[in-house]
Amino acid sequence: MKLVSFNLFGMLLGGLTALAADLGYTLEHAAKMKGVIEVVISPDGRQIAYTLGVPLDPIKGENGASWRELHVVNQQGQSRPFVAGKVSVGHVAWSPNGEMITYLAKRGDDKNTALYGIPLNGGESKRLLEHHTNISSFHWSSRDDRFLFVATEKAKDSKGKDKGFDAEVYEEEPRFGQIWIAQSHKESGEWSAEVLKMEGSVFGARWSPDDKRLAVAVAPQPFIDYFYMYQKVHVVDASTGEITAVVDHRGKLGPFRWSPNGRSIALIGGAHLNLSLIHISEPTRPY
């Protein structure tokens, strides 16, 4: 039975290969194929920001991951590049008023991945905020002057670096993720951020529709096994950091979102350790 399946697959693959050859499509074309990665609709629903993966040219000996450009397409299907070239743009989001597209990138002399914004109606990208470690994710509140972001603690300085002991040992020193609340200062145009300290390691967070609470993905430790299997969504008071509820699921945790009325949280998570399902949950009291 396996042999028959293999032969049928081989026949199908051979037919597709022959068809591609007839159309003039080669492996070189496949290696240069571009693809859409992220898609985000503007608040007014009239435009879509998306990231375009542009692979390096293996024929020229280039090696590495694809570049990620930022493009915007309107309702008429007209697309234009906003950030293009040798860049890697990620975590694209519109500002609440729809006047700016924000994204994470490491550009120019940045030491860490920073948050950038580019005006929709023209202008260059401006770095909004750089943290002392990489910003891994961010989420706007309903206001244009406030957002949260997740970043790890700063690494401790190694006492032996001056003597040549500069090896990086994977997971040797745990660096916990935390939530930071960034606030804009209209007078100076600058942003400042304060940490909202939580126990455990934060991997992601989102504002509730009324901006009073946060849904936060937390694991007891920052290690990779905990990231995959032991994250829990906590509902947190945005002003005090108090945990007011916990979503009870098992195993892996995927994306999670608030319902528009803020009464429920939808998430992709484990019903048990070996199965993932979509949940609509009204979080329970923590203890």
Side-chain angles (χ1 to χ4, degrees):
M1 195 67 174
K2 289 184 179 180
L3 181 60
V4 172
S5 298
F6 178 81
N7 286 340
L8 288 174
F9 175 76
M11 291 170 62
L12 178 61
L13 181 60
L16 291 175
T17 303
L19 177 61
D22 290 341
L23 295 174
Y25 189 82
T26 66
L27 292 175
E28 183 176 343
H29 289 104
K32 295 180 179 180
M33 184 180 294
K34 301 178 181 179
V36 173
I37 301 172
E38 294 180 76
V39 176
V40 187
I41 302 174
S42 63
D44 62 8
R46 296 181 177 180
Q47 302 190 76
I48 296 175
Y50 65 95
T51 54
L52 183 68
V54 181
L56 280 64
D57 190 344
I59 307 302
K60 295 180 179 179
E62 297 177 331
N63 188 27
S66 299
W67 298 113
R68 290 190 177 191
E69 300 180 342
L70 173 63
H71 295 247
V72 176
V73 60
N74 60 21
Q75 291 176 310
Q76 291 72 43
Q78 299 168 330
S79 182
R80 52 182 174 142
F82 268 58
V83 182
K86 294 183 177 181
V87 294
S88 289
V89 170
H91 294 274
V92 175
W94 294 83
S95 62
N97 61 12
E99 296 178 356
M100 178 174 60
I101 304 171
T102 52
Y103 61 89
L104 295 179
K106 188 175 181 181
R107 309 187 65 183
D109 58 354
D110 291 342
K111 294 181 179 179
N112 302 295
T113 300
L115 178 65
Y116 283 83
I118 184 168
L120 181 63
N121 295 324
E124 295 296 325
S125 292
K126 177 183 178 182
R127 188 173 64 194
L128 302 181
L129 183 71
E130 183 182 24
H131 195 56
H132 54 252
T133 59
N134 291 328
I135 298 175
S136 60
S137 64
F138 69 97
H139 186 231
W140 285 95
S141 73
S142 63
R143 298 161 25 186
D144 294 291
D145 64 347
R146 188 171 63 167
F147 62 85
L148 64 79
F149 66 89
V150 176
T152 61
E153 300 168 331
K154 191 174 183 179
K156 296 179 181 179
D157 293 331
S158 173
K159 296 180 180 179
K161 279 191 176 182
D162 57 341
K163 298 180 181 179
F165 297 103
D166 58 352
E168 293 185 15
V169 181
Y170 185 63
E171 292 191 345
E172 178 186 39
E173 181 183 319
R175 295 171 60 186
F176 287 76
Q178 290 294 344
I179 303 171
W180 296 75
I181 307 296
Q183 184 73 43
S184 173
H185 301 280
K186 294 183 178 180
E187 299 80 10
S188 62
E190 300 296 324
W191 293 78
S192 62
E194 292 186 3
V195 66
L196 188 68
K197 192 71 175 178
M198 294 192 63
E199 289 189 16
S201 187
V202 176
F203 289 99
R206 298 187 69 86
W207 292 95
S208 65
D210 61 6
D211 291 344
K212 294 181 180 180
R213 295 164 296 164
L214 307 174
V216 185
V218 188
Q221 297 290 334
F223 304 125
I224 190 66
D225 288 342
Y226 284 83
F227 167 78
Y228 277 117
M229 301 303 297
Y230 299 109
Q231 290 188 68
K232 292 279 190 180
V233 175
H234 295 62
V235 178
V236 177
D237 187 295
S239 58
T240 66
E242 177 188 359
I243 298 173
T244 60
V246 179
V247 177
D248 185 22
H249 79 280
R250 303 289 186 271
K252 294 182 179 180
L253 174 67
F256 54 94
R257 298 290 186 271
W258 289 90
S259 62
N261 61 13
R263 295 177 183 174
S264 303
I265 295 174
L267 61 92
I268 297 177
H272 53 74
L273 291 179
N274 302 309
L275 178 65
S276 294
L277 297 172
I278 297 176
H279 299 268
I280 305 296
S281 175
E282 293 186 5
T284 59
R285 299 291 298 180
Y287 308 113

